Structure formats: structure tokens, C-alpha cells
Amino acid sequence: MIDLRSDTVTKPTVQMRRAMAEAEVGDDVYGEDPTVNLLQEKAAEIFDKEAALFVPTGSMGNQIAVKLHTKPGDEIIIEERGHIFNYEMGAPSALAGVMIRSVRSRNDNAMLTWDEIAAAVHVNLPYYACPTGLICLENTHNFGGGSVMSAEQTGEICCKAHELNLPVHLDGARIFNAAALGESVADLSKHCDSVQFCLSKGLGAPVGSMLLGKRDFINEARVWRKRLGGGMRQVGILAAAGLIALEESPKRLHVDHENARLLAGGVANLKGVSIDAERVQTNIVIFDVSETGKTSAEIVSQLKENEILAIPFGTAIRMVTHYDVSQQDIEKTLQILRNILK
Ligand code: TLP
């Protein structure tokens, strides 16, 4: 199988499995797991933040941040295609009691500008308005096609938000993919009040994400992680794979990006397929198939008959490259797509 459904499907490397087997462990609910502590220190150092917390999933990291930055009845502002809004089971309303003010960016890449955010902000409004409590950004932007927000753009939004006393949370599930274009993860998240990134996506660890921010914020996040049932015990076994992911995987993400560009360039030439291949910067390729005469579900099902997995979203198909996908796999995928759409 060539599995292009997501970069979450990667299997731990031999080096990760070895590190997991040999990991030193302790009870992390007591803060006594040396491998978890090391991972948290390393992550905080790399991001130049005061502290970090190992959480089981990106969704939990995001939702703890939403909970801590807001109070019930607040609104959070997020781009309409954002993960926190669309793919976290309604958690902002279920857990934090907040409303979502989704804003459709004029940019195809789903990156909001400060002007677009400002138009949706509610501060110092009459008694009937729902106050803005938080701004959520996403980098890379998953359903914006793996698009990247620069450190300058992020910094501008954060500074303007802070002038209004509004915090900014960055869903940086794939921030290392953004960093592969040249700016460091520390710069890309510099002015953000909190950032979450996933070890379990392109970085290839089997489980885990990190939430980062100021020390007091992370101390509170630890309480909420436990409250949500995310206090884990000898979890150094997972943190050991996370450490390898953090140290080794960022170096090779450019390969996934080259494969994604190869894929995007190839699908752009298929009849009826619509994609702006020039816009593919990282490891996510989303293309519209509405003019092909077949539905996205039909195409995905035919791909599956040929041992290729992808995900249909409305009239589009998403394919994600990762370290278990080679250049030959991309060439084979293109060949099969050509046959299907002939
Ligand atoms: N994304 C998954 C699906 O949930 C859609 C994927 O296959 O891309 N933020 C972003 C930007 C994400 O893409 C994801 C997962 C998460 C958060 C949540 O991470 P997990 O799955 O660890 O809760």
C-alpha cells in the first residue's frame, strides 16, 4: 500500500523502537519520568519558550490552550478551514464553553491577515456582544494545502492582538514543515502566547504532541491534562521516540516537500484536475476533481483498488507525503491516476 491519507500513518523507525525499548522511565504524573522531562526541556529550548508539556495528542494540546486562554462565553477567532474548528469534535464549545467566530480568509492558502482578524474582533463592545478571548493560527495550514505563514506575518498578528490584550495560540502541528523553508520554529512562534506541535505527524513518532508557553501557563496546562485523563505514567517509552523525532526528523522534511511538489506538478497536468501546483510548499497536496467526470470518492475508491490510499474532502482529494513514501511511490501514484482519469 502507498498510504497518502496523512503523515499520521508513519511507523516508528528502528532507531525509535530501540530508544523506546531502552528508555529510562518513572511516574510522569509525579513529574518523575526522566525521558519525558528531557523531551520537555529540549522542546522548550528549541522553541525558546519557558516550558513545555508532553500531551497525548495535538487536539489535547490545542484544547488545553483554548481552555486556559479563555473563559466560558468568549469567542475565539479562527480561519474557517482551521483544524481546531473543524476536526476536534466541537471541543472548544464542549470543554471551554466558547463560541467560534470563523473567518474565511480571502487568501486561497487560508492564512488570515490582521485586517481580516481585526474585522471580527469584539472588544469594548456594547453589552450584547460576545467578547473575543483568543486568536488561533495554524502553521502549516492543513486545509490551506500545507501553506506557510512567515515569522513576520505571525509576529504582526501577535503584536496587534497583544495591543488589544488578546492572546494568540498557534496550532503548529506541522510547524517543522514550515521551518524547513528556512525560518526557525522559535522565530515562527516567537510572539505567540502558546504553541502546540505534533511529534506524531511528519516527525514520525508513534504518539505525542507538545504544548509550549510561559511556565505558569504550562503548570496550569498540567492540571488540565490530568483533568482530561491525559496524565500518563511511565510514558518515557513514548517520549523516547519523541526525542528521536525532534532531533532527527526535521533534517529530512525537505524530501517530503520535494515529493509533494513532484506529485502536485503531475496532477496539475491531469485533465479536469484543478490545483495551483506553484502553491505547494510543504507536504500536503489538495486538488479539486469536480471537472473530471468522477467524484472524489470514486477516484479514491479506484486508487484503493490499486493499493493507493488518499482522502476525499468534498470535491477535492488530499494526499500527504511522509517518510514512508518514496519518489517511486509518487511516480506510481501519478501513473495510476493517469489511468483512472484517462
Ligand atoms: N490532523 C489530521 C486529521 O485530524 C485531519 C490529519 O490527518 O491531518 N492540528 C492540525 C493542523 C492537524 O492537522 C491535526 C491532525 C491536529 C491538530 C490534531 O492532532 P491529533 O490527531 O494528534 O489530535
Side-chain angles (χ1 to χ4, degrees):
M1 280 285 178
I2 301 173
D3 196 342
L4 296 162
R5 285 172 302 171
S6 182
D7 46 10
T8 58
V9 301
T10 47
K11 308 263 181 5
T13 61
V14 173
Q15 198 189 355
M16 285 179 194
R17 287 178 190 266
R18 195 171 298 131
M20 291 170 82
E22 291 167 2
E24 244 192 282
V25 295
D27 192 327
D28 182 50
V29 170
Y30 299 145
E32 289 172 4
D33 190 302
T35 313
V36 172
N37 291 342
L38 182 62
L39 174 63
Q40 291 174 168
E41 279 158 28
K42 283 234 155 121
E45 190 185 308
I46 293 171
F47 279 75
D48 198 16
K49 296 280 184 214
E50 281 181 18
L53 185 70
F54 185 64
V55 286
T57 64
S59 301
M60 192 189 281
N62 284 336
Q63 295 308 325
I64 290 175
V66 170
K67 175 72 203 166
L68 289 182
H69 287 304
T70 60
K71 51 187 191 318
D74 280 354
E75 258 179 17
I76 65 172
I77 295 180
I78 183 167
E79 210 281 336
E80 196 181 282
R81 289 155 277 187
H83 196 277
I84 290 175
F85 176 34
N86 293 285
Y87 303 104
E88 298 189 12
M89 316 288 299
S93 61
L95 301 176
V98 296
M99 303 248 295
I100 291 199
R101 169 78 43 189
S102 65
V103 177
R104 178 88 183 177
S105 172
R106 283 183 299 271
N107 298 321
D108 288 341
N109 66 8
M111 290 302 182
L112 287 171
T113 61
W114 172 253
D115 289 347
E116 290 172 322
I117 294 170
V121 165
H122 290 165
V123 282
N124 306 323
L125 279 181
Y127 64 90
Y128 44 78
C130 181
T132 306
L134 175 69
I135 292 162
C136 292
L137 304 177
E138 187 173 318
N139 197 11
T140 66
H141 203 293
N142 191 342
F143 292 92
S147 50
V148 174
M149 184 177 267
S150 70
E152 192 186 345
Q153 288 167 301
T154 312
E156 189 203 336
I157 290 173
C158 292
C159 293
K160 295 270 172 53
H162 292 160
E163 282 168 18
L164 300 174
N165 287 325
L166 290 174
V168 177
H169 170 67
L170 174 61
D171 176 356
R174 296 185 178 82
I175 195 165
F176 282 92
N177 292 86
L181 268 57
E183 298 191 281
S184 70
V185 292
D187 283 343
L188 289 168
S189 60
K190 190 168 176 184
H191 299 283
C192 299
D193 300 272
S194 54
V195 53
Q196 175 280 123
F197 78 92
C198 293
L199 296 157
S200 61
K201 303 210 161 47
L203 301 188
V207 178
S209 291
M210 308 297 296
L211 179 63
L212 301 105
K214 290 232 187 283
R215 191 163 303 280
D216 287 352
F217 172 88
I218 293 299
N219 288 342
E220 275 298 299
R222 176 174 278 277
V223 173
W224 270 96
R225 183 186 66 173
K226 185 77 176 78
R227 194 168 276 148
L228 293 171
M232 297 173 284
R233 303 292 178 173
Q234 286 71 28
V235 70
I237 290 201
L238 298 179
L243 273 166
I244 308 280
L246 195 56
E247 279 160 12
E248 300 300 326
S249 305
K251 297 176 205 159
R252 57 149 313 282
L253 290 176
H254 66 98
V255 177
D256 299 342
H257 300 175
E258 280 155 26
N259 284 336
R261 278 196 298 273
L262 180 67
L263 180 63
V267 294
N269 290 327
L270 298 172
K271 197 156 172 272
V273 169
S274 159
I275 181 176
D276 182 354
E278 295 298 310
R279 280 210 304 108
V280 174
Q281 292 176 288
T282 59
N283 69 329
I284 297 180
V285 181
I286 299 176
F287 50 97
D288 189 275
V289 295
S290 45
E291 302 293 314
T292 58
K294 291 188 184 208
T295 67
S296 55
E298 282 164 352
I299 296 170
V300 165
S301 145
Q302 281 184 277
L303 282 167
K304 193 170 178 188
E305 285 162 21
N306 288 280
E307 305 197 319
I308 293 170
L309 300 178
I311 293 195
F313 285 101
T315 61
I317 294 176
R318 185 186 78 160
M319 292 183 169
V320 185
T321 58
H322 50 80
Y323 74 67
D324 287 332
V325 173
S326 65
Q327 188 182 325
Q328 289 88 313
D329 292 336
I330 298 296
E331 279 154 9
K332 182 171 170 201
T333 302
L334 285 170
Q335 189 52 51
I336 286 167
L337 268 173
R338 267 180 224 118
N339 290 342
I340 293 174
L341 297 176
K342 194 160 59 196

